[in-house]
Amino acid sequence: MTARPAEVPAEVPAEVPAEVPAGALTEVPAETLTEVPADARADAPADASPDLWRGVPHRMSIGLRHQLRDDGSLPSENLTCFLFAFPGVDIDVPRLEGALARAVVLNPALAHRYRVDPGRGPQYRETAWRPRVDLVEPVAADWESTRATARRLADAEMTRPFDLRDGRLLRTALVRHPGGEGCVLVVTADHTVCDGISYARFLDDLSAAYRDGETTGTDRVRPRASLARVAAAERRALAGAARDELCDAWRRRLPDGIPDMVLARPLSWTECTPEGEQAATVLTGAAYERHVRQAAELSVSSFMLATAKLLHAMRPSVLGPGLSFFSPLPGRFVPAARDVLGNFVSVLPVTVREPRSADLTAMAEAVRESVLWTLRHQGVPFDVIRDAVGNGGAGNGEFAYERRSVFISGNPVMRLELEGVRGQLSVPTLSDAMFDLSLWISDTGDELRCSGVFRKRLLERSLVETWLAALG
């Protein structure tokens, strides 16, 4: 627990285990994934025998080839960093650190160490690690400065390179008002092991641990299943004919390969740099009530209707011939993955089978059918689907990553409760666009939020704001 000034966010030094060689990471074939023995402890010491290292579960390899840097690190992603403001609340820091420690023990995915094996590629070991809370002093002694300081810290997380070989996959910083007017907590989890669903679950664990008030005794916490056990269960469920049948189902769904919701291509992928901007809209009050009522009348979820509205608004101006979209869908389709924190999201393309002239009602029904079909036919990771189905003639042999595409995600509600108070949620400023346009839709039960991150060289802010306005 150390206080530091906030003008220049301090970098966390990489504590890379000595056995980790430098160099690029490679993807791990499914057949190299082996289950952790029953007697393998999650807190294995750093000098444990090599057989405690396990292959990286396949869902953790999504995008590695696409994003990997020459030094073996990956660029930080904007999925799992959020701010929680607690006006007028003073957080008990030792108690918070104890709660974090219990949550990490409960979720072994947050205590990984990585290495690159010459024959098997990236591997991980679940090992003991106790998180800390960095105390940060605001620049000025007022509440607005406290919030602004926390936002700068969160914004810096969006540009911080992370390295899979660094075992600290969770970072927390607490900005405290010196006069006791409140504090803001910044919680960042590495997205290679923590998707949005897992992040929300982790917050529930943290809230419960803080509420219980235990600052010691993490040895009494029973860890959930490891990622290796989940990977082994998935491999068994998708063995032989089951895997082939699932790939065949996707082939029938996508006869021309894997289409994105393709944008018109005024620039090649290599010309269109990822520098991005962020636009957002929030439906509250009567506008939110109308949206929920309309979704009920159409027998679709709030997320499905929001997706349909956005697709319907976008089609006339920029969409290419495809009407499909990337959407991350939960891949917890084996019992071993239930309640396990980890990146179990399959980023699969969903084809909307409706003509471009379809009205909003028809589009909403098409989105509903497409999402439900994908939920019923999930399980195979995207890279397997991509390799099994191919990209079709429309892509001219390009990987889907290299095509003009839109990404739509339904976020779970992020709730963190400390001292009996629910933190006020906000998101960092996003400056990189992995996709041409990423849309993050969240229904909190009181309001509908949608944030859009787009490539500045490809799309105009005014156009994106027009699409977002269609949600109302």
Side-chain angles (χ1 to χ4, degrees):
M1 220 173 24
T2 56
R4 55 183 171 84
E7 286 80 358
V8 180
E11 289 294 324
V12 178
E15 295 178 356
V16 180
E19 65 268 33
V20 177
L25 300 176
T26 56
E27 300 207 19
V28 181
E31 59 267 23
T32 68
L33 303 178
T34 53
E35 189 168 356
V36 173
D39 59 351
R41 289 176 53 82
D43 57 350
D47 58 353
S49 59
D51 65 344
L52 290 180
W53 289 93
R54 298 302 169 206
V56 176
H58 55 196
R59 294 190 191 283
M60 296 180 64
S61 68
I62 292 175
L64 290 192
R65 282 186 296 186
H66 175 57
Q67 302 176 65
L68 194 65
R69 291 175 173 170
D70 292 339
D71 62 1
S73 66
L74 297 173
S76 183
E77 263 305 312
N78 55 24
L79 303 180
T80 50
C81 177
F82 294 89
L83 301 92
F84 300 91
F86 295 88
V89 177
D90 188 23
I91 302 299
D92 184 331
V93 177
R95 185 174 177 178
L96 177 59
E97 288 189 328
L100 284 165
R102 292 180 64 200
V104 168
V105 171
L106 182 63
N107 299 289
L110 288 175
H112 286 131
R113 286 287 181 177
Y114 284 86
R115 73 176 186 184
V116 182
D117 183 270
R120 292 190 170 187
Q123 294 182 308
Y124 78 96
R125 184 176 63 210
E126 294 162 0
T127 183
W129 174 74
R130 188 175 182 88
R132 71 169 186 264
V133 176
D134 288 333
L135 295 182
V136 181
E137 299 175 355
V139 176
D142 60 78
W143 177 238
E144 285 307 313
S145 178
T146 302
R147 300 191 73 142
T149 299
R151 177 166 290 279
R152 284 195 294 273
L153 287 172
D155 291 349
E157 289 290 342
M158 296 296 96
T159 59
R160 176 202 296 265
F162 65 80
D163 194 320
L164 291 177
R165 298 165 295 181
D166 181 2
R168 280 182 301 256
L169 303 177
L170 174 70
R171 295 187 294 275
T172 55
L174 185 68
V175 184
R176 305 176 82 175
H177 185 274
E181 292 187 18
C183 55
V184 183
L185 186 66
V186 180
V187 183
T188 305
D190 193 317
H191 82 283
T192 58
V193 295
C194 188
D195 56 44
I197 297 171
S198 288
Y199 187 92
R201 183 161 294 161
F202 167 75
L203 293 179
D204 290 341
D205 293 336
L206 180 58
S207 298
Y210 189 91
R211 184 175 59 249
D212 292 345
E214 294 187 22
T215 58
T216 59
T218 56
D219 58 324
R220 297 193 297 272
V221 179
R222 181 178 177 84
R224 292 177 176 139
S226 69
L227 295 182
R229 293 189 187 279
V230 174
E234 288 186 335
R235 190 176 65 252
R236 287 193 295 269
L238 294 174
R243 189 185 188 95
D244 295 338
E245 289 172 2
L246 198 51
C247 285
D248 287 342
W250 278 100
R251 287 191 189 96
R252 290 192 297 271
R253 179 73 178 190
L254 306 171
D256 297 323
I258 298 180
D260 306 352
M261 187 181 74
V262 181
L263 292 175
R265 302 178 59 156
L267 293 172
S268 71
W269 183 273
T270 54
E271 290 180 90
C272 191
T273 54
E275 286 80 15
E277 287 190 17
Q278 186 175 11
T281 190
V282 181
L283 298 188
T284 59
Y288 173 73
E289 292 174 2
R290 283 196 305 271
H291 175 83
V292 172
R293 186 167 54 251
Q294 187 179 18
E297 292 170 351
L298 296 174
S299 299
V300 297
S301 70
S302 175
F303 166 73
M304 292 174 184
L305 178 58
T307 300
K309 288 179 177 179
L310 291 165
L311 287 174
H312 196 260
M314 293 171 66
R315 287 185 307 165
S317 53
V318 300
L319 286 189
L323 272 179
S324 303
F325 58 93
F326 275 141
S327 184
L329 299 169
R332 294 177 173 86
F333 69 103
V334 294
R338 291 173 186 163
D339 294 325
V340 175
L341 189 151
N343 195 336
F344 301 110
V345 166
S346 289
V347 183
L348 298 175
V350 181
T351 301
V352 178
R353 294 181 178 275
E354 277 300 315
R356 293 171 60 83
S357 59
D359 59 17
L360 179 59
T361 300
M363 180 60 71
E365 176 58 30
V367 169
R368 177 182 185 275
E369 190 276 334
S370 298
V371 171
L372 291 180
W373 187 94
T374 306
L375 288 170
R376 289 192 298 266
H377 295 83
Q378 62 178 308
V380 174
F382 171 69
D383 55 347
V384 175
I385 292 290
R386 180 197 63 205
D387 295 339
V389 179
N391 278 282
N396 296 320
E398 296 177 346
F399 275 178
Y401 290 121
E402 298 170 336
R403 300 172 66 183
R404 306 262 63 95
S405 57
V406 171
F407 184 86
I408 304 176
S409 172
N411 284 337
V413 179
M414 307 297 179
R415 296 187 180 96
L416 178 61
E417 186 173 295
L418 303 176
E419 302 292 345
V421 177
R422 182 178 296 179
Q424 299 172 359
L425 172 70
S426 58
V427 299
T429 303
L430 307 178
S431 58
D432 265 2
M434 174 184 281
F435 294 85
D436 300 323
L437 173 65
S438 297
L439 295 163
W440 312 98
I441 304 168
S442 178
D443 190 327
T444 69
D446 300 307
E447 59 186 21
L448 181 77
R449 292 176 171 269
C450 184
S451 176
V453 184
F454 58 95
R455 296 197 178 206
K456 293 192 294 185
R457 288 204 62 196
L458 190 67
L459 298 171
E460 296 289 339
R461 183 182 188 88
S462 59
L463 181 59
V464 175
E465 289 176 340
T466 298
W467 298 334
L468 295 176
L471 292 175

